[in-house]
Amino acid sequence: MAGAGSAGRALAALLLAASVLSAALLAPGGSSTPDLDKKKHVELKMDQALLLIHNELPETNLTVYWNFDRCYHCLLQVLATVPQSRKAGRPGVAAVAVGTQHGSILQLNDTAEDKEVCRLEYKFGEFGNYSFLVKHVRDGVSEIACDLVVNKEPVDSNLPVCIAFLVGVALVIVVSFLRFLLSLEDFQNWISKAINSRETDRLINSELGSPSRASDPQPEAWRRSAAPLRLRCVDTFRGMALILMVFVNYGGGKYWYFKHSSWNGLTVADLVFPWFVFIMGASIFLSMASILQRGCSKLRLLGKIVWRSFLLICIGIFVVNPNYCLGPLSWEKARIPGVLQRLGATYFVVAVLELLFAKPVPETCALERSCFSLLDITASWPQWLFVLILEGVWLALTFFLPVPGCPTGYLGPGGIGDGGRYRNCTGGAAGYVDRLLLGDQHLYQHPSSAVLYHTEVAYDPEGILGTINSIVMAFLGVQAGKILLYYKDQTRGILIRFAAWGCLLGLVSVALTKASENEGFIPVNKNLWSVSYVTTLSSLAFLILLALYPVVDVKGLWTGAPFFYPGMNSILVYVGHEVFASYFPFQWKLGDQQSHKEHLVQNTVATALWVLIAYVLYKKKVFWKI
Ligand SMILES: *[C@@H]1O[C@H](CO)[C@@H](O)[C@H](O)[C@H]1NC(C)=O
Ligand SMILES: *[C@@H]1O[C@H](CO)[C@@H](O)[C@H](O)[C@H]1NC(C)=O
Ligand SMILES: *[C@@H]1O[C@H](CO)[C@@H](O)[C@H](O)[C@H]1NC(C)=O
Ligand SMILES: *[C@@H]1O[C@H](CO)[C@@H](O)[C@H](O)[C@H]1NC(C)=O
């Protein structure tokens, strides 16, 4: 049966073809940056529009203040001052660049008295050209009118994303169709008669000394009959999170929604890491259960856990400290926390916890069809107790740890947020604990909060306090693994539990955030890994498993390709994409640095390449396991 193999090959070829095709389609056909007003010295970058402010008032200098409306409770920033009109028909003019990712707030005040002249809330478009006219309604009347005029329409920044999406959908349809054709027996016969391909194949292969096709390794391991429970939906989900992570780490076309939120809120980039942690939790449980079943001693397993965590942390420190940033053998500025470090620490705690209280999976539940108990939860009450205490520690530290110079229980970004009152309080207790224990120099120096909130202090999104919540996240993943194993022959029971967890955690998130971005008790926040962030993302993770499990594992409607392949080799893909980020063909010099579409093509091609690499390695049975 060559169906799966050839479909996979066809998929790989198509993927490459599509990347090349879209690269050709979207190639730099003439620069898209408009001719710039040289006199005014405003060079437009991506996500910027040109705003010309005309001041026709004869006796008033204007100060222009600006900020994004998304910047919560932020101080407005001085953008420009516009001189008074010298004489009628000669207005004072200032040209400025304004950001276009979010809506803008413009406030024009009289410079001398700092009194409001007019205020505008507007969403500018990328590379648009706008004029803002300030004048008296009629000569001699003190009433002032402000008008916004569009000189040149903006470009549609999201068009490349739409095209990429459509190309992706087309690809999926073509591949599904091919797979369908290949699954038809008649069609296979017709093909082999029409072109005697197998014969040629065999000849070529024997020429090259490769094994013939018939003995190709087939990915049979996932078939339900196979003994150890390796669930394909788990690997598929991991692969999805990983590929999304590669894409956003490579820049995500430089779109704001493919970058991390500046502070509160959720973007695409904020989704991937917790899902990865969640899946790690599920895998910890599934693999540990099968290892213990085979009679491996707990002590040996403990040694393995310690060694793996240690390796993860070491590789992590290596990955986040590219040496050209630091100079020869400098420890002074080495960053200590990071993604793999956090994974290592989380892995250690959760795996040891599960190992300490490991119990054999009760056979009754796996066999009895009527087993609708809460056994998966009650059987692990010591773990639950531990995790709840840990969460209590997070809450207590976050809300009651006194931080010098900052309000206790502060969850904000500092900087210009909160009216600029707590400039160096970024992250409240979480930031303070890291700065105290690890030191300013050993933290991440460019936190995403600097984008909107202009924060100045170092803040690490993978800090110590957040690790507590990533342990909670992983533990919820363990719970998913338990559901999958305890009720393994009752599809309905599994689906009901996934749905219940998804809804329950979703409700907790709604309560914690009051269904708002900034106004809740604990807002969803990636930089803090707040509780609501964990509940929201694990709710989504349960719902994704709810969709994937029946489709991928029960019915076998989808093999999980292409996500399945990177999911099987996650450490290699993660480390590889970080280390080779700036090498060709993952990166090349762009014709126009300020074009979203060129960045998008580059990042998509780089991501597709990692899928391809993972596919080839899978076929060659190369897996990096630590
Ligand atoms: C913007 O529009 C104004 C008014 O039409 C024009 O004078 C100016 O040259 C334009 N600037 C750019 C960069 O297109
Ligand atoms: C506006 O600014 C100019 C130059 O900075 C200054 O000479 C002028 O007096 C100011 N006008 C008012 C009304 O303050
Ligand atoms: C501008 O004027 C308004 C209203 O008079 C005032 O409240 C505000 O403080 C002034 N400055 C800024 C930066 O908004
Ligand atoms: C905040 O930190 C910056 C740099 O670390 C420092 O220059 C500034 O004075 C601090 N501001 C306050 C209000 O402490």
Side-chain angles (χ1 to χ4, degrees), residues 31-37 41-51 68 96-101 124-129 152 154-155 157 253-254 259 592-596 599:
S31 159
S32 59
T33 0
D35 275 348
L36 293 175
D37 204 340
H41 302 295
V42 178
E43 188 111 15
L44 284 190
K45 303 224 177 74
M46 67 167 51
D47 293 322
Q48 283 187 340
L50 183 68
L51 178 62
F68 282 127
V96 289
V98 285
T100 59
Q101 296 103 315
F124 295 100
E126 195 181 13
F127 298 133
N129 180 348
K152 187 172 140 278
V155 300
S157 329
K254 299 251 184 281
K259 292 184 190 159
D592 177 5
Q593 279 292 335
Q594 304 307 329
S595 151
H596 277 302
H599 282 284

Short mmCIF file of all heavy atoms in Angstrom, two decimals, residues 31-37 41-51 68 96-101 124-129 152 154-155 157 253-254 259 592-596 599:
data_model
loop_
_atom_site.label_atom_id
_atom_site.label_comp_id
_atom_site.label_asym_id
_atom_site.label_seq_id
_atom_site.Cartn_x
_atom_site.Cartn_y
_atom_site.Cartn_z
N SER A 31 9.19 49.00 -5.72
CA SER A 31 9.03 49.32 -4.32
C SER A 31 7.63 49.88 -4.06
O SER A 31 7.08 50.61 -4.87
CB SER A 31 10.09 50.35 -3.92
OG SER A 31 9.67 51.02 -2.78
N SER A 32 7.06 49.49 -2.92
CA SER A 32 5.72 49.96 -2.64
C SER A 32 5.72 51.19 -1.74
O SER A 32 4.68 51.74 -1.45
CB SER A 32 4.92 48.85 -1.97
OG SER A 32 5.56 48.48 -0.78
N THR A 33 6.90 51.62 -1.29
CA THR A 33 6.94 52.82 -0.47
C THR A 33 6.66 54.03 -1.35
O THR A 33 7.17 54.13 -2.45
CB THR A 33 8.33 53.03 0.15
OG1 THR A 33 9.17 51.97 -0.25
CG2 THR A 33 8.27 53.14 1.64
N PRO A 34 5.82 54.92 -0.87
CA PRO A 34 5.52 56.09 -1.70
C PRO A 34 6.72 57.03 -1.77
O PRO A 34 7.62 56.95 -0.94
CB PRO A 34 4.36 56.74 -0.96
CG PRO A 34 4.52 56.29 0.45
CD PRO A 34 5.14 54.94 0.40
N ASP A 35 6.71 57.89 -2.76
CA ASP A 35 7.74 58.93 -2.83
C ASP A 35 7.66 59.76 -1.56
O ASP A 35 6.60 60.20 -1.17
CB ASP A 35 7.47 59.86 -4.02
CG ASP A 35 8.06 59.27 -5.28
OD1 ASP A 35 8.85 58.32 -5.16
OD2 ASP A 35 7.73 59.78 -6.36
N LEU A 36 8.78 59.95 -0.96
CA LEU A 36 8.72 60.63 0.32
C LEU A 36 8.96 62.11 0.17
O LEU A 36 9.66 62.57 -0.73
CB LEU A 36 9.74 60.02 1.28
CG LEU A 36 9.40 58.59 1.64
CD1 LEU A 36 10.49 57.98 2.48
CD2 LEU A 36 8.08 58.53 2.39
N ASP A 37 8.31 62.80 1.03
CA ASP A 37 8.42 64.25 1.04
C ASP A 37 9.80 64.60 1.58
O ASP A 37 10.01 64.65 2.78
CB ASP A 37 7.31 64.80 1.95
CG ASP A 37 6.98 66.21 1.57
OD1 ASP A 37 7.82 66.86 0.92
OD2 ASP A 37 5.88 66.67 1.94
N HIS A 41 11.61 65.47 5.66
CA HIS A 41 12.42 64.45 6.30
C HIS A 41 11.60 63.42 7.06
O HIS A 41 11.93 63.05 8.17
CB HIS A 41 13.44 65.08 7.27
CG HIS A 41 14.34 66.04 6.60
ND1 HIS A 41 15.24 65.67 5.65
CD2 HIS A 41 14.47 67.38 6.73
CE1 HIS A 41 15.90 66.72 5.21
NE2 HIS A 41 15.45 67.79 5.85
N VAL A 42 10.50 63.01 6.50
CA VAL A 42 9.76 61.93 7.13
C VAL A 42 9.90 60.69 6.27
O VAL A 42 9.44 60.67 5.13
CB VAL A 42 8.27 62.29 7.31
CG1 VAL A 42 7.53 61.12 7.91
CG2 VAL A 42 8.14 63.51 8.17
N GLU A 43 10.58 59.70 6.80
CA GLU A 43 10.79 58.45 6.07
C GLU A 43 9.79 57.45 6.62
O GLU A 43 9.87 57.09 7.79
CB GLU A 43 12.22 57.98 6.29
CG GLU A 43 12.63 56.83 5.44
CD GLU A 43 13.65 57.23 4.39
OE1 GLU A 43 14.23 58.31 4.51
OE2 GLU A 43 13.85 56.43 3.47
N LEU A 44 8.85 57.02 5.80
CA LEU A 44 7.83 56.12 6.31
C LEU A 44 8.36 54.70 6.42
O LEU A 44 8.98 54.19 5.50
CB LEU A 44 6.61 56.13 5.40
CG LEU A 44 5.69 57.33 5.50
CD1 LEU A 44 4.42 57.06 4.73
CD2 LEU A 44 5.36 57.65 6.95
N LYS A 45 8.14 54.08 7.58
CA LYS A 45 8.45 52.67 7.75
C LYS A 45 7.17 51.88 7.60
O LYS A 45 6.10 52.47 7.41
CB LYS A 45 9.03 52.46 9.15
CG LYS A 45 10.25 53.31 9.44
CD LYS A 45 11.31 52.46 10.11
CE LYS A 45 12.57 53.24 10.36
NZ LYS A 45 12.43 54.20 11.46
N MET A 46 7.28 50.56 7.73
CA MET A 46 6.05 49.77 7.65
C MET A 46 5.14 50.11 8.82
O MET A 46 5.60 50.57 9.87
CB MET A 46 6.34 48.27 7.62
CG MET A 46 6.92 47.71 8.88
SD MET A 46 6.88 45.92 8.90
CE MET A 46 7.62 45.51 7.37
N ASP A 47 3.86 49.95 8.61
CA ASP A 47 2.87 50.27 9.65
C ASP A 47 2.91 51.73 10.05
O ASP A 47 2.74 52.07 11.22
CB ASP A 47 3.07 49.39 10.89
CG ASP A 47 2.76 47.94 10.62
OD1 ASP A 47 1.81 47.69 9.87
OD2 ASP A 47 3.47 47.07 11.14
N GLN A 48 3.19 52.60 9.08
CA GLN A 48 3.15 54.03 9.37
C GLN A 48 2.39 54.75 8.27
O GLN A 48 2.36 54.29 7.13
CB GLN A 48 4.55 54.60 9.48
CG GLN A 48 5.23 54.27 10.79
CD GLN A 48 6.55 54.96 10.96
OE1 GLN A 48 7.15 55.40 9.97
NE2 GLN A 48 7.01 55.06 12.18
N ALA A 49 1.81 55.87 8.63
CA ALA A 49 1.17 56.74 7.65
C ALA A 49 1.74 58.14 7.82
O ALA A 49 2.27 58.48 8.88
CB ALA A 49 -0.34 56.76 7.88
N LEU A 50 1.65 58.93 6.76
CA LEU A 50 2.15 60.31 6.82
C LEU A 50 0.99 61.22 7.21
O LEU A 50 -0.09 61.15 6.62
CB LEU A 50 2.70 60.72 5.45
CG LEU A 50 3.30 62.13 5.41
CD1 LEU A 50 4.57 62.18 6.23
CD2 LEU A 50 3.57 62.56 3.99
N LEU A 51 1.24 62.04 8.21
CA LEU A 51 0.21 62.97 8.63
C LEU A 51 0.78 64.38 8.55
O LEU A 51 1.81 64.68 9.17
CB LEU A 51 -0.23 62.65 10.07
CG LEU A 51 -1.27 63.58 10.67
CD1 LEU A 51 -2.57 63.52 9.90
CD2 LEU A 51 -1.51 63.23 12.13
N PHE A 68 -1.52 55.28 20.69
CA PHE A 68 -2.48 54.28 20.23
C PHE A 68 -3.59 54.17 21.26
O PHE A 68 -3.33 54.24 22.47
CB PHE A 68 -1.81 52.92 20.10
CG PHE A 68 -0.98 52.76 18.86
CD1 PHE A 68 0.33 52.34 18.95
CD2 PHE A 68 -1.52 53.00 17.61
CE1 PHE A 68 1.09 52.17 17.82
CE2 PHE A 68 -0.77 52.83 16.47
CZ PHE A 68 0.55 52.42 16.56
N VAL A 96 4.44 64.40 10.19
CA VAL A 96 4.84 63.37 11.15
C VAL A 96 4.40 62.00 10.65
O VAL A 96 3.50 61.89 9.81
CB VAL A 96 4.20 63.60 12.54
CG1 VAL A 96 4.82 64.79 13.22
CG2 VAL A 96 2.70 63.76 12.41
N ALA A 97 5.07 60.97 11.16
CA ALA A 97 4.66 59.59 10.86
C ALA A 97 3.84 59.10 12.04
O ALA A 97 4.23 59.26 13.20
CB ALA A 97 5.88 58.71 10.66
N VAL A 98 2.69 58.51 11.76
CA VAL A 98 1.88 57.92 12.84
C VAL A 98 1.73 56.42 12.59
O VAL A 98 1.70 55.97 11.46
CB VAL A 98 0.48 58.57 12.92
CG1 VAL A 98 0.56 59.94 13.54
CG2 VAL A 98 -0.18 58.63 11.57
N GLY A 99 1.65 55.68 13.69
CA GLY A 99 1.51 54.22 13.59
C GLY A 99 0.13 53.84 13.09
O GLY A 99 -0.85 54.57 13.32
N THR A 100 0.04 52.70 12.42
CA THR A 100 -1.24 52.31 11.83
C THR A 100 -1.76 50.96 12.33
O THR A 100 -2.79 50.50 11.87
CB THR A 100 -1.11 52.23 10.30
OG1 THR A 100 -0.10 51.26 9.98
CG2 THR A 100 -0.73 53.55 9.70
N GLN A 101 -1.03 50.31 13.26
CA GLN A 101 -1.48 48.98 13.68
C GLN A 101 -2.81 49.02 14.43
O GLN A 101 -3.61 48.13 14.34
CB GLN A 101 -0.45 48.30 14.58
CG GLN A 101 0.86 48.01 13.92
CD GLN A 101 1.90 49.01 14.32
OE1 GLN A 101 1.63 50.20 14.34
NE2 GLN A 101 3.09 48.54 14.64
N PHE A 124 -5.53 55.19 11.23
CA PHE A 124 -4.83 55.48 9.99
C PHE A 124 -4.47 54.18 9.29
O PHE A 124 -4.39 53.12 9.92
CB PHE A 124 -3.55 56.29 10.27
CG PHE A 124 -3.83 57.66 10.82
CD1 PHE A 124 -3.72 57.92 12.19
CD2 PHE A 124 -4.21 58.69 9.99
CE1 PHE A 124 -3.99 59.17 12.70
CE2 PHE A 124 -4.48 59.95 10.49
CZ PHE A 124 -4.38 60.19 11.85
N GLY A 125 -4.25 54.25 7.96
CA GLY A 125 -3.90 53.06 7.18
C GLY A 125 -2.46 53.14 6.71
O GLY A 125 -1.90 54.22 6.53
N GLU A 126 -1.85 51.97 6.52
CA GLU A 126 -0.43 51.91 6.19
C GLU A 126 -0.13 52.67 4.89
O GLU A 126 -0.82 52.49 3.89
CB GLU A 126 0.00 50.45 6.04
CG GLU A 126 1.50 50.29 6.06
CD GLU A 126 1.93 48.84 5.88
OE1 GLU A 126 1.10 48.01 5.50
OE2 GLU A 126 3.12 48.56 6.11
N PHE A 127 0.91 53.47 4.92
CA PHE A 127 1.42 54.25 3.77
C PHE A 127 0.39 55.23 3.22
O PHE A 127 0.51 55.68 2.09
CB PHE A 127 1.91 53.34 2.65
CG PHE A 127 3.08 52.47 3.05
CD1 PHE A 127 3.10 51.12 2.75
CD2 PHE A 127 4.14 53.02 3.75
CE1 PHE A 127 4.17 50.31 3.13
CE2 PHE A 127 5.22 52.23 4.13
CZ PHE A 127 5.22 50.88 3.83
N GLY A 128 -0.64 55.55 4.03
CA GLY A 128 -1.58 56.58 3.59
C GLY A 128 -0.95 57.96 3.77
O GLY A 128 0.07 58.12 4.43
N ASN A 129 -1.57 58.95 3.16
CA ASN A 129 -1.11 60.34 3.30
C ASN A 129 -2.32 61.16 3.73
O ASN A 129 -3.32 61.22 3.03
CB ASN A 129 -0.56 60.80 1.93
CG ASN A 129 -0.07 62.25 1.96
OD1 ASN A 129 -0.32 62.99 2.91
ND2 ASN A 129 0.63 62.64 0.90
N LYS A 152 -3.94 60.58 0.09
CA LYS A 152 -3.66 59.36 -0.67
C LYS A 152 -4.16 58.18 0.16
O LYS A 152 -3.85 58.07 1.35
CB LYS A 152 -2.16 59.23 -0.92
CG LYS A 152 -1.78 58.09 -1.83
CD LYS A 152 -0.30 58.14 -2.18
CE LYS A 152 0.33 56.77 -2.19
NZ LYS A 152 0.73 56.27 -0.87
N PRO A 154 -4.58 54.67 1.88
CA PRO A 154 -3.57 53.72 2.38
C PRO A 154 -3.60 52.42 1.58
O PRO A 154 -4.56 52.16 0.86
CB PRO A 154 -3.99 53.49 3.82
CG PRO A 154 -5.44 53.79 3.85
CD PRO A 154 -5.67 54.86 2.83
N VAL A 155 -2.55 51.61 1.74
CA VAL A 155 -2.56 50.28 1.13
C VAL A 155 -3.23 49.32 2.10
O VAL A 155 -3.37 49.61 3.29
CB VAL A 155 -1.13 49.79 0.82
CG1 VAL A 155 -0.43 50.72 -0.13
CG2 VAL A 155 -0.33 49.61 2.09
N SER A 157 -2.76 46.49 4.27
CA SER A 157 -1.64 45.72 4.83
C SER A 157 -1.97 44.24 4.94
O SER A 157 -1.08 43.40 4.91
CB SER A 157 -1.29 46.21 6.23
OG SER A 157 -1.54 47.55 6.38
N GLY A 253 5.84 37.86 9.41
CA GLY A 253 5.53 38.90 8.44
C GLY A 253 5.51 40.29 9.06
O GLY A 253 5.02 41.23 8.46
N LYS A 254 6.01 40.39 10.28
CA LYS A 254 6.06 41.67 11.01
C LYS A 254 4.67 42.27 11.25
O LYS A 254 4.51 43.48 11.36
CB LYS A 254 6.94 42.69 10.28
CG LYS A 254 8.39 42.25 10.11
CD LYS A 254 9.31 43.07 11.01
CE LYS A 254 10.77 42.72 10.80
NZ LYS A 254 11.18 41.49 11.47
N LYS A 259 2.90 39.05 16.57
CA LYS A 259 3.91 39.30 17.61
C LYS A 259 3.20 39.22 18.95
O LYS A 259 1.98 39.21 19.03
CB LYS A 259 4.50 40.70 17.43
CG LYS A 259 5.34 40.83 16.19
CD LYS A 259 5.97 42.20 16.16
CE LYS A 259 6.61 42.46 14.84
NZ LYS A 259 6.78 43.89 14.60
N ASP A 592 12.79 45.15 -0.12
CA ASP A 592 12.19 46.27 0.58
C ASP A 592 11.93 45.86 2.02
O ASP A 592 11.01 45.11 2.31
CB ASP A 592 10.88 46.65 -0.12
CG ASP A 592 10.17 47.78 0.60
OD1 ASP A 592 10.75 48.32 1.57
OD2 ASP A 592 9.05 48.12 0.20
N GLN A 593 12.78 46.35 2.91
CA GLN A 593 12.68 45.98 4.32
C GLN A 593 11.33 46.37 4.92
O GLN A 593 10.93 45.83 5.93
CB GLN A 593 13.80 46.68 5.12
CG GLN A 593 15.14 46.01 5.03
CD GLN A 593 15.15 44.65 5.72
OE1 GLN A 593 14.37 44.39 6.63
NE2 GLN A 593 16.02 43.78 5.27
N GLN A 594 10.65 47.34 4.31
CA GLN A 594 9.43 47.88 4.92
C GLN A 594 8.17 47.26 4.33
O GLN A 594 7.09 47.83 4.45
CB GLN A 594 9.40 49.40 4.75
CG GLN A 594 10.61 50.12 5.31
CD GLN A 594 10.88 49.75 6.76
OE1 GLN A 594 9.95 49.46 7.52
NE2 GLN A 594 12.14 49.73 7.14
N SER A 595 8.32 46.12 3.69
CA SER A 595 7.15 45.52 3.05
C SER A 595 6.71 44.28 3.82
O SER A 595 7.48 43.35 4.02
CB SER A 595 7.51 45.17 1.61
OG SER A 595 6.74 44.08 1.18
N HIS A 596 5.47 44.29 4.26
CA HIS A 596 4.94 43.13 4.98
C HIS A 596 4.98 41.89 4.11
O HIS A 596 5.28 40.81 4.57
CB HIS A 596 3.48 43.39 5.37
CG HIS A 596 3.35 44.17 6.63
ND1 HIS A 596 3.89 43.77 7.82
CD2 HIS A 596 2.74 45.34 6.89
CE1 HIS A 596 3.61 44.65 8.75
NE2 HIS A 596 2.91 45.62 8.22
N HIS A 599 8.37 40.16 3.99
CA HIS A 599 8.64 39.48 5.26
C HIS A 599 7.78 38.23 5.38
O HIS A 599 8.25 37.19 5.83
CB HIS A 599 8.35 40.42 6.43
CG HIS A 599 9.43 41.42 6.67
ND1 HIS A 599 10.62 41.09 7.29
CD2 HIS A 599 9.52 42.72 6.36
CE1 HIS A 599 11.39 42.15 7.36
NE2 HIS A 599 10.75 43.17 6.80
#
